[in-house]
Amino acid sequence: MGEGQSPRLGINHTAVAELETEVLDWRHKAVPAAQHGRTAAEFGSGSLRLSDLQTPLLTLDAAALTGNVARMARWCAEHGVRLAPHGKTTMAPALWAAQLEAGAWGITLANAAQLRVARRFGVRTLMLANGLTDPSAIRWVADQVAAGARIVSWVDSVAGVDRLQRVLDAAGAGSLEVLVEIGGRGGRTGARGVDAARTVAEAVRAASRLRLGGIGGYEGALAHSWDEAGLSAVRGYLGDFRHLHETLAGDDTYETDEVILTAGGSAYFDDVVEILGPCAGSGVEVILRSGAYVIHDDGFYRGISPLSRRDPDAADAFVSAMRFWARVVSRTEPGLAILEGGKRDLPFDEGLPIPLGIGGELGQPLRPLPGAAITAVNDQHAFLCYSDELDVRPGDVVLLGLSHPCTALDKWTLMPVLDSVADPVDPVVVGTVRTFF
């Protein structure tokens, strides 16, 4: 176990803390030139306010981050399931540490490059929610497992099983723990249906260098709404998932005393728990992989999260922890202003940004923008349409709510964390979050 490694939390806190010693400069676009040369710790020490920063800018809210992590941990504990949050949402070791400290089973990631980031920061228990097919990645994972890490990956075909076996055989490596992935028609990866998945499971059982540890899958690829059609697709898939588990358990196919059943993004985790939750216990762990909840948003997840579908402002709902600030750079047509932030700075794949307010400068009170909307984004600009009676001028700061944290944080190497509780108008910078995409 490396220096700073926590046996309880499974992350190297010394490595995470060292991020605070990074000297900030031109590589960190959220940092004004006047602050270059300061360390991340100095930048987030409370000596700066929002008004000391520059636009365009993505900020995070300290209270929202803390509250969202605690809320999800509490929900999982109350429902008797574990959580391996999908770390690809943030790729932020400091946030992973907070999630692990709140009781997470481990961290989920999507590819070998992301796994390497996690191992650099000492994360010991990892789930790769994907299949391993690249030979160098397979060998590297085998080496990490031999060194003491637990990395659970997925496989969804007999051909995938054969490939893993051949590469591990050639490398003389030990065995890998894998989950058979079940998918659904029209979905993404995953063996299509119970029979196909059962065939894959039997192939894993027959492979000398693989161990069948359970079942993985992702219901979120099958629906994008919580209307009757969307929920029917999700629940039908989860029914197949449970049937596969009951079949494999009945046939004594698993090769572990701790079977993992894992599904659940940030949109349908309540359905996952309702259908798969009764399987937990007696050597079976049901593990959710929700990742977007820690940041949440003002768009897609605000409307579909199980904790906010019916009332996005409910006391137990997640709260968006991200805000985007952009200035008006042009206003040459009536009712149209061009903002300085675009596709290189903010997400647009799950809905365009939402105007929340406008002010003269950062750190000044905002006034509402009734009826205003972002109608399009270019690489570096956004189109703000508004009614003629609104006063919008070049240099004004527009606050935008965003949709989809997974494609927001990947555009920023470092984000200031604000304390908006003490001062919601001109909050203090109380920290930073460093990402590794």
Side-chain angles (χ1 to χ4, degrees), residues 215-232:
I215 306 170
Y218 178 52
E219 74 291 338
L222 302 173
H224 216 64
S225 65
W226 62 285
D227 56 16
E228 183 177 351
L231 291 179
S232 177

Side-chain angles (χ1 to χ4, degrees), residues 338-365:
I338 305 301
L339 309 184
E340 60 189 335
K343 295 178 181 178
R344 302 291 177 86
D345 310 297
L346 51 78
F348 57 91
D349 57 317
E350 291 287 3
L352 292 172
I354 303 161
L356 299 178
I358 187 169
E361 294 292 344
L362 283 173
Q364 293 184 357

Side-chain angles (χ1 to χ4, degrees), residues 18-216:
E18 285 173 353
L19 294 175
E20 293 290 289
T21 67
E22 183 177 10
V23 176
L24 307 182
D25 55 26
W26 54 269
R27 294 168 296 179
H28 308 94
K29 67 179 182 177
V31 179
Q35 304 302 325
H36 289 179
R38 303 185 78 176
T39 65
E42 292 168 340
F43 186 77
S45 66
S47 62
L48 300 175
R49 290 183 174 273
L50 175 63
S51 55
D52 295 310
L53 305 181
Q54 66 181 28
T55 59
L57 177 67
L58 182 68
T59 62
L60 300 177
D61 184 83
L65 290 172
T66 301
N68 290 344
V69 169
R71 197 165 290 116
M72 189 64 182
R74 185 169 59 249
W75 193 94
C76 290
E78 290 170 351
H79 290 82
V81 297
R82 303 297 302 275
L83 176 66
H86 212 318
K88 58 93 177 171
T89 297
T90 66
M91 289 304 295
L95 295 181
W96 296 347
Q99 292 169 308
L100 288 166
E101 186 173 355
W105 172 90
I107 298 296
T108 299
L109 293 165
N111 58 41
Q114 294 173 2
L115 288 176
R116 291 198 299 270
V117 174
R119 291 297 296 143
R120 164 63 182 80
F121 288 92
V123 181
R124 292 190 297 114
T125 303
L126 293 156
M127 184 177 300
L128 178 67
N130 217 337
L132 278 169
T133 55
D134 180 82
S136 62
I138 295 169
R139 291 190 292 267
W140 180 85
V141 168
D143 289 343
Q144 294 299 303
V145 171
R150 182 181 183 185
I151 302 177
V152 182
S153 62
W154 296 6
V155 65
D156 68 357
S157 68
V158 174
V161 172
D162 291 343
R163 184 170 182 81
L164 282 168
Q165 179 72 19
R166 287 198 306 273
V167 173
L168 294 170
D169 268 342
S175 64
L176 294 183
E177 182 180 5
V178 299
L179 309 182
V180 59
E181 181 187 2
I182 183 169
R185 185 173 299 278
R188 201 162 58 194
T189 54
R192 295 307 196 246
V194 172
D195 290 342
R198 186 179 181 185
T199 299
V200 177
E202 291 168 348
V204 172
R205 182 67 186 256
S208 61
R209 297 189 185 272
L210 301 179
R211 292 178 291 109
L212 181 62
I215 306 170

